[in-house]
Structure formats: structure tokens, C-alpha cells
Amino acid sequence: LAAAPRRRSSAPHAAAAAAMIVGRVLGRRAFGSARESAGAKFRKLMMEAHNTKRPLQIVGATSAYTGRMAQNIGFQAVYVSGGGVALANLGVPDLGVTGLDDVLVDVRRLTRVTTVPALVDIDTGFGASIFNIERTVRDMEQAGAGAIHMEDQVSAKRCGHRPNKQVVPTGEMVSRLQAAIRGRHEMVIMARTDSLAIEGLDSAIDRCKAYVNDGGADCIFAEAVTDLAQFKKFSEALPGVPLLANLTEFGQTPLWKLDELADVGISLVLYPLSAFRAQSRAAEAVFKGIMADGTNKEVEKLMHHRMTTYEVIDYMAYERAMDEAAAKAK
């Protein structure tokens, strides 16, 4: 007797259906898609901010979850901080300990679940060779980043708001930037200078002119600015070049308001670790409360409700996708 035909399992079909539906939930950009690239998005936002004198606010996201939250609230760009990767995900100081792959992991996680472009900190380029820099930029763009910033510190870099920084000669930084330009397709290349605190304002401005005119940088990040008049000098010396102000808390730069920065020619305003520092303080309070009280009941008031967390990641859409896939498999 002929054997009865075996019934095919519906599991692969269910899995495929679920993957397709969840892909729609995430809204991920497929490779080869005709949609606008992250680099083109960031450039458009940057130039609109520059031309209208309404600075673009960029907030740091140390996880894909906080990136989604920032996007949901209405921010048009997010930031992957090198210090954030070191602190939040490696638990080490931001002293050149992180590598390219450490940052790429965070960038890929973020860009898979957000549609706003990300500015990414690549320190000094992650390697001693110009070929390392080209690779870094290519990898970042392929991971979905819209812009990168690279600094003119020596490879053994330090936090931009701490003492004893050292910078490379202008020509070496120009070579770094030229390598970055060769590695990019549409990504925005931002040059960061840490020279203001070391060499003074005039030298920092001269460096930035070379970074734009010879290196090909699209925009400038002047680190550790202490006075609005300094930003005014940068903007006057670099007409047509978007400038970024880094408003990191507890550093050398005062926490100016958006209109004050617009008045001195700032086009981009960065809040690199604001959310992380608030999360860190909240986590400390929760841990201490649990230790002291022997329960988490008293610190529950400090927490987002479960349903609020679900709203951030659109959890219910995933559940509906699973239910729809299961129904189709029957």
C-alpha cells in the first residue's frame, strides 16, 4: 500500500508570516529601498535648521528603546555617544576603550527600530590608518547612521570636557577627514575640534577652516566652548557652515537656551547624555530603596507603568502580528 502523504507543517509558513508582519511593525528600511537615505535625511534637516536659524535638537539615546522614545516624543534626530556606549553598555570610562564593533552594535540596534537619522560619535576614527577610517565610515553608513563626527584628538583620547587633552597637527586631521569623505556615500561628515581649550580661539578657528576647505567636512563641532561670543566668532569665520553646540551637563559649556544659540549662528544642538544621566539617578534611587525597604513597593512611583513601556515600543502591534500570523497558519 502506498504511504499516505505527510501533512506539511504550518510552522515555517507561520514564521514567515510573522516575520513579514513584524517587519511592517518595525518599519525597517530594506536594502536597496528607494526611500531617502539616513544621510540625505540628516543633511536636509541640518541645512533646513541652518537656513531658517532654527537649530535642530539632537538627543542622545544609549539604547534602541530610548531612541524609540525620543522619536515618539518628536525629536527629528538622535545621537549615539561614544561615552554613552562606554558607560551604558561596557561599564568603562570614555578613554578610547571602545572599538568600532562596540559602537556598530548600538547603531544597528537603534536604526532597526527608528526612522529618524542618527549622528554617531566615532572618536578619532577607530584605527591608526586612513584605511581604518574609510572602513569605519563605510560600516557606519551601512549600519544606517546618517552622520558621524570625528575629532582631532590623539588616538589615546580623553573626554572633551576633562583636562590634559592633546590634539594632532592640523594636516593629520585633514587627512583623517579626507579618508572619511572617501568612505562615505551620502553620510554627513562632521569635524570636531578639541583645540579650543588647548590652543585658543584663533587657532581653533584656523583649524576648522582647514577641516572644511581642505578636509571636506560638512559641518563643525567645536568642543568645550565656554562663551557665546566664541560661537559667534566661529560662525562669522565659517559662513555657510553648520555649527554644533554640545550641551553636555556638568561640563565646561553652559546650558544655553535654543534662542541664545540661534542668535550666535548655531544650527545643531546636542544633548548627548541627558537621558542617560537621569536614568542613572533613577536607577540608583530604585536600587537603594529596594535595599533599604526590602521591597520595591515604595519605589514603584518612580517607574514607568508597564503599559507606558509597551506604548514606547508599540508592543500591542507585535501581539496583533503574532495573532494574525497564528490565524493564517490554521
Side-chain angles (χ1 to χ4, degrees):
L1 294 173
R6 287 187 296 175
R7 186 178 175 220
R8 288 186 181 179
S9 169
S10 64
H13 302 286
M20 182 172 63
I21 295 165
V22 170
R24 291 204 304 268
V25 172
L26 290 173
R28 292 180 293 185
R29 176 176 57 83
F31 287 107
S33 168
R35 292 186 188 177
E36 191 175 35
S37 72
K41 284 182 182 179
F42 191 93
R43 188 178 301 277
K44 182 184 292 184
L45 289 167
M46 176 178 74
M47 295 314 300
E48 180 182 358
H50 182 70
N51 293 331
T52 61
K53 303 188 185 306
R54 297 176 60 188
L56 174 68
Q57 293 177 291
I58 307 170
V59 290
T62 53
S63 68
Y65 174 84
T66 50
R68 290 193 72 165
M69 181 184 290
Q71 177 176 279
N72 294 349
I73 287 170
F75 287 99
Q76 295 180 286
V78 292
Y79 178 60
V80 178
S81 157
V85 173
L87 286 165
N89 297 325
L90 296 180
V92 297
D94 181 26
L95 292 170
V97 180
T98 54
L100 171 59
D101 289 339
D102 297 318
V103 181
L104 279 172
V105 167
D106 279 12
V107 172
R108 291 188 184 113
R109 288 173 174 167
L110 177 68
T111 59
R112 284 182 187 130
V113 296
T114 56
T115 56
V116 296
L119 168 63
V120 181
D121 178 1
I122 65 165
D123 290 345
T124 61
F126 298 123
S129 163
I130 58 173
F131 302 113
N132 292 117
I133 295 170
E134 287 184 41
R135 178 200 167 194
T136 293
V137 171
R138 281 196 303 271
D139 286 355
M140 286 295 167
E141 189 158 18
Q142 288 170 0
I148 59 92
H149 71 70
M150 181 169 55
E151 64 206 52
D152 56 6
Q153 286 199 49
V154 297
S155 295
K157 60 146 292 175
R158 294 174 180 247
C159 170
H161 290 254
R162 296 291 300 160
N164 302 319
K165 297 186 294 183
Q166 293 179 283
V167 291
V168 298
T170 301
E172 183 174 337
M173 181 60 177
V174 166
S175 295
R176 289 179 183 177
L177 290 165
Q178 290 171 342
I181 296 295
R182 289 193 297 272
R184 67 107 176 259
H185 178 54
E186 293 186 298
M187 174 181 280
V188 171
I189 305 297
M190 180 183 295
R192 168 177 147 176
T193 185
D194 283 79
S195 61
L196 177 62
I198 303 166
E199 300 175 348
L201 180 60
D202 291 341
S203 177
I205 288 174
D206 287 342
R207 278 177 172 267
C208 289
K209 287 179 179 179
Y211 297 166
V212 172
N213 297 329
D214 302 329
D218 298 303
C219 44
I220 292 293
F221 174 166
E223 180 65 300
V225 170
T226 58
D227 191 284
L228 283 170
Q230 293 173 328
F231 275 137
K232 184 70 171 175
K233 291 284 189 182
F234 274 104
S235 65
E236 289 173 345
L238 297 159
V241 180
L243 302 175
L244 178 142
N246 180 23
L247 300 191
T248 185
E249 300 84 9
F250 316 111
Q252 301 301 312
T253 303
L255 304 183
W256 292 299
K257 292 183 178 180
L258 216 56
D259 57 351
E260 294 177 296
L261 292 165
D263 287 344
V264 293
I266 293 300
S267 302
L268 308 157
V269 182
L270 180 63
Y271 310 86
L273 289 171
S274 305
F276 170 77
R277 290 188 173 109
Q279 289 171 313
S280 182
R281 182 172 180 177
E284 181 183 46
V286 169
F287 292 152
K288 286 182 176 179
I290 292 172
M291 176 67 75
D293 302 334
T295 176
N296 54 356
K297 183 174 178 58
E298 295 305 316
V299 295
E300 191 178 33
K301 60 180 176 290
L302 301 177
M303 304 177 193
H304 254 175
H305 190 279
R306 177 188 297 271
M307 296 308 298
T308 305
T309 303
Y310 285 174
E311 288 169 7
V312 171
I313 60 170
D314 203 7
Y315 179 93
M316 296 307 177
Y318 286 83
E319 276 200 351
R320 290 193 297 271
M322 292 178 68
D323 293 341
E324 185 179 336
K328 287 187 178 198
K330 288 182 180 177

